[in-house]
Amino acid sequence: MIELKNVSKWYGQVQVLNNCSTRIEKGEVVVVAGPSGSGKSTLIKTINALEPFQKGEIWVDGVPVHDPKTNLPKLRSRVGMVFQHFELFPHLTVTENLTIAQIKVLGRSKSDALAHGLKYLERVGLLAHKDKFPGQLSGGQQQRVAIARALSMDPIVMLFDEPTSALDPEMVGEVLDVMVGLANEGMTMMVVTHEMGFARKVGSRVIFMDVGGKILEDCSTEEFFGHPDGRQPRTKEFLHKILQH
Amino acid sequence: MIELKNVSKWYGQVQVLNNCSTRIEKGEVVVVAGPSGSGKSTLIKTINALEPFQKGEIWVDGVPVHDPKTNLPKLRSRVGMVFQHFELFPHLTVTENLTIAQIKVLGRSKSDALAHGLKYLERVGLLAHKDKFPGQLSGGQQQRVAIARALSMDPIVMLFDEPTSALDPEMVGEVLDVMVGLANEGMTMMVVTHEMGFARKVGSRVIFMDVGGKILEDCSTEEFFGHPDGRQPRTKEFLHKILQH
Amino acid sequence: QSGDTLAKIKNSGEVTLGVRESSGLGYTLGNGVYVGFHTEMGENIIKDLEKTVGRPLKIKYQPVTSQNRIPLVTNGSVDLECGSTTNNTARQREVDFAYTTYVEEVRMAAKANSGIASVADLNGKNVAVTTGTTSVQTLRRNKRAENINFREVMGKDHADSFLLLETGRADVFVMDGSILAANISKSRNPADFKIVGEVLNVEPIACMLRKNDGAFKAAVNESIKRQIADGTLEVLWDKWFLKPTPPANTVIGLPLSEATKAAWANPNDKPMEAYVID
Amino acid sequence: MNWDWQFFCQDTLDMHVVQGCFGKDGEITYLDWMLSAWGWTVSVALLALVLALVVGSVIGILRTLPGSRFWATFGTTWVEVFRNIPLLVQIFLWYHVLPAFIPVLQGLPGFVLVVLALGFFTSARIAEQVRSGIEALPRGQRYAGMALGFTTAQYYRYVLLPMAYRIIIPPLTSESMNVFKNSSVAFAVSVAELTMFAMQAQEETARGVEVYLAVTALYILSAFVINRIMALIEKRTRVPGFIAGASGGH
Amino acid sequence: MDFDFSFYTWSLISDYVWKGLVFSVWLTVIATAGGIFFGTLLALMRLSGQKWLAVPATIYVNGMRSIPLVMVLLWFFLLAPIITGRPVGAELSAIITFIAFEAAYFSEIMRAGIQSIPRGQVFAGNALGMSYSQNMRLVILPQALRNMLPVLLTQTIILFQDTSLVYAIGAYDMLKGFETAGKNFGRPMEAYVAAAAIYFVICFGLSWLVKRLHRKIAIIR
Ligand SMILES: Nc1ncnc2c1ncn2[C@@H]1O[C@H](COP(=O)(O)OP(=O)(O)OP(=O)(O)O)[C@@H](O)[C@H]1O
Ligand SMILES: Nc1ncnc2c1ncn2[C@@H]1O[C@H](COP(=O)(O)OP(=O)(O)OP(=O)(O)O)[C@@H](O)[C@H]1O
Ligand SMILES: [Mg+2]
Ligand SMILES: [Mg+2]
């Protein structure tokens, strides 16, 4: 489904991705972890070419992302993405947020888009809020709308960039619940997160990155959590810190 | 040390503190928890009169905060406060951040203030960074400087408002470590936090607030965590949610 | 930019007439209506031009200021400017002038009870003059020649300068006689002011046109000669200086001067420098 | 278009060409005159700018003070009055109308009046900038200052204003350039600055295009110099590791 | 000083002021619309990251902002006929000059507005498959406009006041109307006081209206 081959990226002189390679199969849930600044966000943004990269190849469902001739908007419309700060469009209502890209990008009719969008809004339990503006919702609700927005484009894969780290602790649960549901239904997912509970529960694989943009670990969840001795020292230090208190 | 008697506060029509009363003795570490918007920040801000309140009385070390004749700047200089977003002064170096209030408010000489400030900077493990600007430090480092800044005023009590919730997970630990150290040395502390691990470890009491600004629970840490059955339904729901994943 | 203006207006059927919005010889009544001695004379000239080119001409009025009138004529925006432009040698290098149709005498206006009667009385006084006029230069020359010490106060336009006199910020207002007369006549109490003193300068005023366009200049001059000869100009003088004028129906009361009479008697386009002040 | 720049070397009285273009013993060339006019432009603009900065800061601060309705209303009124009437009209009111009610103004020279008028006009805009600069700071900064025991004056002085000014340097730069351009209204009250020079000199020399070109160049030069000075200030006061005003996402 | 209020009459207003007022308002509206349009283009050029677009735009914007408007007006009015070979009327000159001049100012406002939108919004639009222009039209510019509304207003008020500078090219605006009336009737003071009052009422009314509008369409955060 997704394949990265020796992807490297620099900001000016600074290397932020260093020869990253990995494969994600249909139905897998891959958790990406690592310290701040290690390039987790950058990595998943290269997958739908939100960030350009200078070296290597990325294939999404057979489409070469690195090829300058690829129609990137079209590719992106097939990859769902959820951001740390939700990034709902604050000047549009929830319904408009759900339908605008369906109408303008996929060319769906207004009524089709609406029906489709509301279906997913219901799925995340927010149908009652369809006419509100994002600013009138709590953080957890906004993130659920953002997930519904991505889903209503019928993506083949969903990318999540720290979807819960900007939320009040009480609201983390409601968003994770939606994500667990998606995973259980077989959606292909790549999730940057520090929620090790979530990783344990539904992750099929863990990718651990270190500062400098290197993939330090890429193994199954059982392997990652079950055999701490097999891990790199940096990984152990990190896990120790975030699980300490 | 601190006593609140029937404190109520309104923003316009909306009541955000509802008849709150409690006492904090010297050396106690009181953890304040509760859902977002329940008035936790407001409650601790009333203690050093950063937020005015309309009804009730607050006494800090025998000084009546509610009395319009009280010299509030003087009172505040004796109460240390640490904020969620650190609120270091970005245009001043770490050293200047530590000394400016000592010099301008307490009237200390420059060299006294410097010696005093650097002592606390060393205590939080950041002496090497004394000439940097806040923007050049990581979040965890900034928060530790903020704690040193508050401490260098020699406060009789320290107030913390979600000191770790704006931090990267990896950095939460270093700040909590400093706070645990303080608590163990006998500092009187009032801490708004969702870190239940910290509450369990060093808290002597837990105050739980609900939306509307009411204190639902006010009991010892053992009682709070040890006897879930004795808790209000709202408290149980909250604890369930934030401990779930 | 020299060219054949006659051919141009014949082609387009339009003449752009440069007019003034507030001077003694031409002003506006608002709403795009322009009137005054020179304005009306300019309209007469264009009527005569209709015969020359053999077709009716539409007049487009372009208000000009002393800052932009010369560039507008040279760049072709204005075909004929009949406002209150002094014919002098510096300008003759840029533009041509038709026959002199009005000879301006620079004088001073003062409060009637001020006791000021000549330039010699100006020691230690404030003298108002309007920015962007030749009177400033005149004043500067007088100042140095007579060795009198006075302060110049520059008004941004004539109304402003007159206000300086009215409110006491200035003791006299030095300017073209026609402008002084017009401002006094419109003031609240015309009797409070009078025009005093010697003639400080004499300036021939003429319509301005593009340089090196002999045919056009000849046609304009032909019309002016006609207007002098058949008395049209004298009637216009009467109408604009001796009878009530719109909008307030005040009478300016400026009799036809000897200098202007002389210019009419012997049509010429001599520059200011050729006039001697006695 | 045929250029002729020689008139700059001419004497302003008898129009003869002066050797070296700068007049000696009593002679004043058009070049001398233009440079002195530039001096007046710069003086008016700088003094008005200082006045505007002081008054604008005070008014801007008044509008952000906690719990002072009277002063907030006063500040709002000030801003609305001085920004909603065109500058040229305000100058006229200062020069001709106000002295009818406040006789002392009658005695003030045009220079002082125009500095006042231009200064107050600009102060209304600077007040808005100062206010938005202060309001752009996180509320926590105010709290942090208070919590350390600073008095209101102290936390404005040491905490809020240093950052607020840094944030508003870009609009302040534009406003400073505007003051130079707007100082041209001083001609209306008899200050012999560049615009008055342009109006008068083109009348006397009939070389309008050249005069305007020279004057435009001096205005651009003035605005450019003030722009560079502000850029230097911006650079010198830049806080390391902190992008003032920019709130970047992740 | 006694003020003569009998000077204000309806016929005076309709004869002298009305035409100028209409012109001032009309010029303001056109120059604001045109200025925002071209200003947005300039802002996009500066933000494009393409040197060949950004550098000319930057030079244009900074150059325009250094020249007094009245000089720009005069220059265009005087030079345009020489370039085009035929006279350009005062009104048309005023419109073109104002749009060109205001575009420089509006571009700075729009640039600030666009930059104030979190980068994440750009990513979000792109991630949904929107093209650059769709993203600008549907996501970024609507937010930038809303955020910048108060600043756009201030600039529009300045613009409305600056329309009086068209005196330099002989166009007839509201202030000119008052001045002419004041001159024709020998009552300049009364004319200026009236002008001050009318300007104040219009500008203040405008800012009040926009404040209300802003409250209505401001983004709920
Ligand atoms: N636009 C940019 N210009 C320059 N450097 C950048 C830019 N964006 C990111 N970086 C740098 O690239 C590196 C990787 O950033 P990235 O956001 O991918 O990290 P991350 O692992 O997602 O961190 P976090 O947990 O803080 O979100 C960091 O060192 C960051 O400073
Ligand atoms: N300046 C203000 N004006 C009006 N209402 C306010 C203001 N500040 C806070 N409130 C309201 O007061 C209530 C209590 O706010 P407070 O910040 O004390 O909550 P909190 O418990 O600290 O929440 P959080 O966990 O989100 O920090 C909330 O409903 C909030 O919306
Ligand atoms: Mg990230
Ligand atoms: Mg809070």
Side-chain angles (χ1 to χ4, degrees):
Chain A
M1 170 111 315
I2 297 177
E3 178 157 14
L4 283 80
K5 282 192 202 152
N6 306 318
V7 173
S8 289
K9 176 182 170 71
W10 288 262
Y11 277 118
Q13 303 290 334
V14 188
Q15 185 155 18
V16 290
L17 290 181
N18 188 344
N19 224 25
C20 299
S21 301
T22 192
R23 268 182 84 87
I24 294 156
E25 302 300 338
K26 195 160 155 44
E28 269 194 309
V29 174
V30 177
V31 168
V32 182
S36 178
S38 57
K40 309 179 295 294
S41 301
T42 309
L43 183 74
I44 71 164
K45 280 187 189 145
T46 56
I47 290 174
N48 59 354
L50 288 183
E51 295 279 5
F53 50 97
Q54 284 86 25
K55 263 176 70 180
E57 296 182 357
I58 299 182
W59 300 80
V60 174
D61 201 27
V63 178
V65 177
H66 50 278
D67 187 339
K69 288 196 291 292
T70 301
N71 181 343
L72 292 179
K74 185 159 171 227
L75 170 80
R76 288 176 187 142
S77 71
R78 303 177 58 209
V79 176
M81 184 147 191
V82 175
F83 300 85
Q84 180 178 10
H85 295 285
F86 333 137
E87 306 300 354
L88 294 177
F89 303 136
H91 60 298
L92 303 178
T93 62
V94 167
T95 307
E96 288 164 343
N97 264 284
L98 291 171
T99 56
I100 188 164
Q102 292 187 60
I103 297 168
K104 303 286 177 182
V105 175
L106 302 183
R108 289 185 181 153
S109 75
K110 267 198 178 164
S111 55
D112 281 6
L114 186 67
H116 206 71
L118 293 184
K119 190 175 76 195
Y120 285 105
L121 193 60
E122 186 165 16
R123 169 122 168 45
V124 298
L126 291 171
L127 199 50
H129 299 278
K130 69 179 169 47
D131 295 321
K132 288 196 178 162
F133 284 90
Q136 296 168 309
L137 300 177
S138 78
Q141 291 170 332
Q142 289 189 52
Q143 194 61 298
R144 281 143 70 198
V145 172
I147 295 174
R149 179 175 72 177
L151 289 175
S152 60
M153 301 290 285
D154 301 320
I156 53 170
V157 55
M158 289 280 288
L159 309 176
F160 292 83
D161 188 3
E162 305 203 30
T164 59
S165 66
L167 295 178
D168 277 325
E170 225 189 344
M171 292 163 181
V172 170
E174 60 194 55
V175 172
L176 288 180
D177 284 345
V178 171
M179 292 170 62
V180 169
L182 269 181
N184 291 340
E185 281 168 28
M187 173 62 82
T188 313
M189 290 162 69
M190 193 164 175
V191 185
V192 178
T193 187
H194 296 290
E195 296 287 337
M196 290 301 139
F198 172 84
R200 271 203 171 109
K201 195 149 89 202
V202 297
S204 36
R205 251 179 41 232
V206 176
I207 292 177
F208 183 85
M209 299 186 69
D210 194 10
V211 177
K214 237 191 163 84
I215 295 185
L216 277 194
E217 317 266 357
D218 185 354
C219 57
S220 73
T221 317
E222 297 81 47
E223 174 74 20
F224 189 81
F225 291 106
H227 298 273
D229 301 341
R231 306 278 69 76
Q232 308 271 348
R234 182 67 187 95
T235 317
K236 281 193 264 187
E237 185 197 335
F238 178 82
L239 284 175
H240 173 74
K241 272 194 178 164
I242 75 166
L243 299 172
Q244 176 188 25
H245 284 276
Chain B
M1 169 114 313
I2 298 177
E3 180 158 14
L4 283 80
K5 283 193 201 152
N6 306 319
V7 173
S8 290
K9 176 183 170 71
W10 288 261
Y11 277 119
Q13 303 290 336
V14 188
Q15 185 155 18
V16 290
L17 291 181
N18 188 343
N19 223 24
C20 298
S21 300
T22 191
R23 268 182 84 88
I24 295 157
E25 301 300 336
K26 197 164 154 43
E28 268 193 310
V29 175
V30 176
V31 169
V32 183
S36 178
S38 56
K40 309 179 295 294
S41 301
T42 308
L43 183 75
I44 73 163
K45 281 186 188 144
T46 56
I47 291 173
N48 59 353
L50 290 184
E51 294 281 4
F53 50 97
Q54 285 86 26
K55 264 175 70 179
E57 297 181 357
I58 299 182
W59 301 81
V60 175
D61 200 28
V63 179
V65 178
H66 50 276
D67 186 339
K69 287 195 292 293
T70 300
N71 181 343
L72 292 179
K74 185 156 171 228
L75 169 81
R76 288 175 188 142
S77 72
R78 302 176 60 211
V79 177
M81 185 146 190
V82 175
F83 300 85
Q84 180 177 12
H85 295 286
F86 334 137
E87 307 301 353
L88 294 175
F89 305 139
H91 59 295
L92 303 178
T93 62
V94 167
T95 308
E96 288 164 343
N97 264 283
L98 291 171
T99 56
I100 187 163
Q102 293 185 59
I103 297 168
K104 303 291 175 184
V105 175
L106 302 182
R108 287 181 183 156
S109 75
K110 266 199 175 160
S111 55
D112 282 5
L114 187 66
H116 205 71
L118 293 185
K119 191 176 76 195
Y120 285 106
L121 193 59
E122 186 165 15
R123 169 122 167 45
V124 299
L126 292 171
L127 199 50
H129 300 278
K130 68 180 170 48
D131 295 322
K132 288 197 178 160
F133 284 87
Q136 296 169 308
L137 301 177
S138 76
Q141 292 170 331
Q142 288 191 50
Q143 193 60 298
R144 281 144 69 198
V145 173
I147 294 174
R149 179 175 72 178
L151 290 174
S152 60
M153 300 290 285
D154 301 320
I156 53 170
V157 57
M158 289 281 287
L159 309 177
F160 292 83
D161 189 3
E162 306 203 30
T164 60
S165 65
L167 296 178
D168 275 326
E170 227 190 342
M171 292 165 180
V172 170
E174 62 193 57
V175 172
L176 287 180
D177 284 345
V178 170
M179 290 170 62
V180 170
L182 269 182
N184 290 342
E185 282 168 26
M187 173 61 82
T188 314
M189 289 161 68
M190 193 163 173
V191 184
V192 177
T193 188
H194 294 290
E195 296 287 338
M196 289 302 137
F198 172 83
R200 269 203 172 110
K201 196 150 103 205
V202 296
S204 38
R205 249 177 45 230
V206 176
I207 291 176
F208 184 84
M209 299 186 70
D210 195 10
V211 177
K214 237 189 162 86
I215 296 185
L216 275 194
E217 316 267 355
D218 185 355
C219 57
S220 72
T221 317
E222 296 81 45
E223 173 73 20
F224 190 81
F225 292 107
H227 297 274
D229 301 341
R231 307 277 68 76
Q232 308 271 347
R234 181 71 187 93
T235 317
K236 280 193 267 186
E237 185 197 333
F238 178 83
L239 284 175
H240 173 74
K241 273 192 177 166
I242 75 165
L243 300 173
Q244 176 190 25
H245 284 275
Chain C
Q1 251 63 42
S2 68
D4 191 344
T5 308
L6 283 177
K8 177 182 148 196
I9 63 179
K10 186 171 178 178
N11 269 332
S12 65
E14 269 184 7
V15 188
T16 309
L17 180 64
V19 293
R20 297 304 296 251
E21 293 189 302
S22 64
S23 86
L25 303 179
Y27 59 97
T28 176
L29 293 177
N31 275 339
V33 179
Y34 300 92
V35 295
F37 173 68
H38 255 178
T39 308
E40 206 169 332
M41 184 190 80
E43 288 164 348
N44 289 343
I45 292 174
I46 290 170
K47 242 174 247 132
D48 287 350
L49 288 179
E50 288 182 345
K51 280 172 233 144
T52 318
V53 299
R55 68 173 285 183
L57 293 171
K58 191 169 156 264
I59 302 178
K60 271 175 58 186
Y61 295 90
Q62 168 64 53
V64 299
T65 65
S66 32
Q67 287 87 52
N68 65 24
R69 58 190 169 192
I70 292 179
L72 285 182
V73 169
T74 55
N75 78 9
S77 298
V78 168
D79 297 313
L80 180 67
E81 191 262 6
C82 292
S84 48
T85 306
T86 303
N87 177 349
N88 65 24
T89 45
R91 286 178 185 155
Q92 282 191 358
R93 284 199 293 274
E94 298 293 303
V95 290
D96 273 356
F97 287 91
Y99 289 146
T100 297
T101 38
Y102 177 89
V103 179
E104 189 66 89
E105 294 173 336
V106 175
R107 307 277 303 273
M108 316 192 287
K111 288 238 170 84
N113 57 8
S114 66
I116 296 173
S118 92
V119 174
D121 298 330
L122 290 184
N123 227 338
K125 295 283 197 276
N126 294 325
V127 178
V129 64
T130 305
T131 303
T133 62
T134 40
S135 303
V136 178
Q137 225 173 350
T138 305
L139 203 60
R140 217 159 47 213
R141 293 207 178 98
N142 270 290
K143 192 168 173 175
R144 193 175 302 175
E146 318 246 332
N147 203 16
I148 311 169
N149 220 343
F150 56 78
R151 274 185 304 277
E152 287 170 34
V153 198
M154 316 271 276
K156 84 173 173 3
D157 50 39
H158 301 315
D160 199 41
S161 302
F162 190 76
L163 199 55
L164 292 171
L165 176 65
E166 221 177 347
T167 57
R169 273 184 193 271
D171 300 292
V172 295
F173 175 17
V174 172
M175 190 45 57
D176 301 354
S178 63
I179 289 166
L180 296 180
N183 272 291
I184 291 175
S185 75
K186 283 184 221 153
S187 72
R188 235 164 283 229
N189 299 306
D192 288 356
F193 305 94
K194 62 179 188 202
I195 296 176
V196 297
E198 54 272 52
V199 172
L200 298 173
N201 204 11
V202 177
E203 302 184 5
I205 310 286
C207 291
M208 179 164 65
L209 37 88
R210 255 179 303 288
K211 210 165 163 52
N212 302 328
D213 191 350
F216 183 56
K217 182 172 170 177
V220 170
N221 280 342
E222 201 49 50
S223 167
I224 290 172
K225 268 211 238 151
R226 197 254 324 148
Q227 293 189 51
I228 295 169
D230 65 10
T232 309
L233 272 194
E234 203 161 346
V235 172
L236 282 184
W237 187 284
D238 249 39
K239 177 174 173 188
W240 291 106
F241 293 113
L242 299 171
K243 296 217 172 96
T245 52
N249 288 324
T250 46
V251 178
I252 293 176
L254 191 72
L256 183 58
S257 69
E258 288 308 313
T260 304
K261 261 188 220 157
W264 289 0
N266 188 6
N268 69 84
D269 56 5
K270 283 186 295 183
M272 181 176 97
E273 286 77 0
Y275 287 68
V276 273
I277 315 160
D278 22 49
Chain D
M1 181 143 264
N2 48 332
W3 298 107
D4 177 5
W5 295 96
Q6 205 189 35
F7 71 89
F8 270 118
C9 301
Q10 282 177 353
D11 181 72
T12 52
L13 277 187
D14 48 21
M15 298 305 217
H16 79 270
V17 175
V18 173
Q19 276 292 312
C21 287
F22 288 102
K24 298 163 272 285
D25 23 83
E27 289 174 330
I28 299 171
T29 64
Y30 282 96
L31 185 62
D32 292 324
W33 185 9
M34 183 171 74
L35 293 179
S36 106
W38 191 24
W40 281 107
T41 290
V42 171
S43 313
V44 168
L46 285 184
L47 284 174
L49 183 58
V50 169
L51 180 69
L53 280 172
V54 172
V55 177
S57 297
V58 171
I59 299 288
I61 290 168
L62 282 184
R63 296 188 72 184
T64 65
L65 282 181
S68 65
R69 281 199 80 82
F70 170 79
W71 288 112
T73 311
F74 173 80
T76 311
T77 311
W78 180 280
V79 169
E80 295 297 353
V81 166
F82 283 103
R83 81 167 178 195
N84 286 334
I85 300 175
L87 180 55
L88 197 63
V89 177
Q90 285 192 39
I91 299 258
F92 187 92
L93 298 183
W94 279 94
Y95 200 41
H96 290 300
V97 179
L98 285 183
F101 303 102
I102 313 167
V104 280
L105 289 178
Q106 177 92 45
L108 291 179
F111 180 75
V112 175
L113 287 179
V114 78
V115 167
L116 287 178
L118 182 56
F120 286 169
F121 175 77
T122 312
S123 80
R125 310 204 198 170
I126 291 184
E128 283 296 88
Q129 292 168 1
V130 169
R131 180 171 75 115
S132 58
I134 294 171
E135 285 175 353
L137 297 172
R139 257 153 58 101
Q141 287 282 305
R142 187 186 288 263
Y143 283 135
M146 289 163 78
L148 285 169
F150 285 124
T151 60
T152 305
Q154 279 179 322
Y155 70 72
Y156 268 88
R157 161 72 185 78
Y158 298 115
V159 177
L160 299 184
L161 291 180
M163 279 315 290
Y165 280 118
R166 282 175 170 87
I167 289 174
I168 62 169
I169 280 183
L172 264 186
T173 304
S174 305
E175 209 49 57
S176 314
M177 292 165 72
N178 280 341
V179 173
F180 269 84
K181 298 195 287 170
N182 288 339
S183 71
S184 68
V185 293
F187 89 87
V189 287
S190 187
V191 175
E193 48 67 73
L194 278 177
T195 300
M196 178 183 280
F197 164 79
M199 295 171 112
Q200 190 57 40
Q202 66 83 27
E203 173 76 16
E204 295 176 12
T205 63
R207 306 297 330 180
V209 174
E210 288 86 345
V211 169
Y212 290 133
L213 206 56
V215 165
T216 307
L218 286 184
Y219 273 116
I220 294 178
L221 182 62
S222 313
F224 181 71
V225 167
I226 201 83
N227 178 296
R228 288 297 89 197
I229 292 173
M230 294 298 281
L232 189 72
I233 294 175
E234 186 174 358
K235 208 167 143 204
R236 293 287 287 275
T237 57
R238 185 166 295 155
V239 176
F242 189 91
I243 311 142
S247 57
H250 287 264
Chain E
M1 177 62 44
D2 47 330
F3 282 86
D4 179 5
F5 290 104
S6 67
F7 162 72
Y8 306 116
T9 60
W10 276 114
S11 76
L12 172 116
I13 296 200
S14 69
D15 287 354
Y16 290 90
V17 180
W18 185 247
K19 181 169 165 251
L21 173 64
V22 169
F23 179 69
S24 294
V25 169
W26 186 69
L27 181 58
T28 306
V29 169
I30 292 200
T32 305
I36 291 179
F37 179 77
F38 288 106
T40 305
L41 288 186
L42 283 168
L44 293 178
M45 283 167 75
R46 288 189 75 172
L47 293 172
S48 67
Q50 306 283 316
K51 256 207 152 93
W52 61 278
L53 286 174
V55 171
T58 308
I59 292 175
Y60 178 83
V61 168
N62 287 338
M64 268 299 181
R65 295 193 312 147
S66 308
I67 312 177
L69 174 54
V70 64
M71 290 292 170
V72 183
L73 272 169
L74 214 52
W75 278 118
F76 182 83
F77 190 50
L78 297 183
L79 295 184
I82 294 173
I83 294 160
T84 63
R86 77 177 113 101
V88 179
E91 266 86 19
L92 186 59
S93 289
I95 290 169
I96 295 174
T97 316
F98 266 81
I99 291 178
F101 187 80
E102 295 299 329
Y105 280 83
F106 282 121
S107 97
E108 285 299 271
I109 297 171
M110 289 310 293
R111 191 163 67 101
I114 294 169
Q115 280 177 325
S116 75
I117 308 296
R119 263 167 64 85
Q121 289 282 307
V122 182
F123 283 136
N126 283 336
L128 286 169
M130 290 187 191
S131 64
Y132 176 82
S133 80
Q134 281 180 325
N135 210 3
M136 275 296 161
R137 273 186 294 115
L138 302 173
V139 178
I140 308 301
L141 292 179
Q143 294 185 53
L145 265 173
R146 281 174 171 81
N147 288 344
M148 286 294 123
L149 196 61
V151 196
L152 291 172
L153 156 78
T154 311
Q155 187 58 34
T156 305
I157 289 177
I158 294 171
L159 168 55
F160 178 66
Q161 294 178 6
D162 278 352
T163 57
S164 62
L165 295 178
V166 298
Y167 76 83
I169 57 174
Y172 192 94
D173 77 306
M174 178 169 90
L175 186 59
K176 185 70 162 220
F178 275 111
E179 269 181 348
T180 307
K183 279 171 190 162
N184 281 353
F185 293 91
R187 297 283 181 281
M189 288 228 229
E190 287 85 347
Y192 271 96
V193 171
I198 301 247
Y199 270 111
F200 182 82
V201 168
I202 292 177
C203 295
F204 185 75
L206 199 62
S207 66
W208 183 80
L209 262 180
V210 171
K211 244 178 241 161
R212 288 197 43 165
L213 177 68
H214 188 57
R215 226 174 287 149
K216 215 160 167 190
I217 70 164
I219 293 165
I220 304 164
R221 291 187 192 281

